[in-house]
Amino acid sequence: MLKSLIAASLLMLCSHARADTAAAPVTVTLHGQRFSVKLATNEAAREHGLMMRTSLAPDHGMLFVFPDTAPRGFWMKNTLIPLDILYFDEQHKLVSAQLNVPPCKAVPCPVYPSAGPARYVLELSAGTVKRIGVRDGDTLAIEGKLGAVD
């Protein structure tokens, strides 16, 4: 009985520690504006992205992290809100942006490519880039742990 209780307690502690790590907040700062971001660090999360969301707070976004730097292309399949899509290289420098990208209304959905190789992609509510004055070459500061990227 005591062994079962100890094992259950350890399992609960380990689960709680994993949940805290997974829930650790990640923020990014771009052109002096701070955003809380949801991470997409694996293929499944990157494929799902912001699908089926009906809103995105002005100070929130999604940061896609890739294991390599390469040309990227994003589409808006099942994405219900317009977005600004920003592409950053391995030094976190803005290399390209697709602004006010509308939800996909017809299949096949258009692809919105980067103008150069990117390792990080930040999706924000449409109009954010214009509102905060983002410019080519701006640097993205990432605060928090990105975890494993695959």
Side-chain angles (χ1 to χ4, degrees):
M1 175 78 162
L2 182 60
K3 285 183 182 180
S4 297
L5 184 59
I6 291 171
S9 296
L10 286 173
L11 182 60
M12 199 165 69
L13 283 173
C14 289
S15 297
H16 182 67
R18 276 196 304 270
D20 286 348
T21 302
V26 174
T27 60
V28 298
T29 303
L30 178 63
H31 205 74
Q33 178 72 41
R34 191 177 179 127
F35 300 91
S36 293
V37 293
K38 185 170 181 171
L39 291 176
T41 59
N42 61 49
E43 194 62 33
R46 289 189 294 262
E47 284 180 16
H48 190 268
L50 292 172
M51 285 182 180
M52 310 314 290
R53 299 235 0 208
T54 56
S55 65
L56 183 62
D59 62 343
H60 284 72
M62 178 165 254
L63 182 64
F64 297 79
V65 184
F66 293 88
D68 61 343
T69 302
R72 304 284 175 210
F74 275 55
W75 64 342
M76 299 289 283
K77 180 181 177 191
N78 297 324
T79 304
L80 307 175
I81 53 176
L83 298 171
D84 287 346
I85 305 171
L86 299 105
Y87 301 91
F88 297 86
D89 66 14
E90 63 278 354
Q91 282 86 35
H92 303 184
K93 181 179 150 193
L94 180 63
V95 296
S96 177
Q98 296 280 355
L99 305 180
N100 297 308
V101 177
C104 177
K105 300 283 188 194
V107 177
C109 297
V111 174
Y112 298 91
S114 61
R119 178 171 239 155
Y120 306 93
V121 178
L122 178 63
E123 290 184 339
L124 301 170
S125 296
T128 301
V129 167
K130 184 177 180 181
R131 178 176 54 84
I132 67 173
V134 173
R135 296 184 294 263
D136 284 342
D138 278 354
T139 301
L140 182 70
I142 301 171
E143 302 160 35
K145 294 187 179 191
L146 297 180
V149 179
D150 57 349

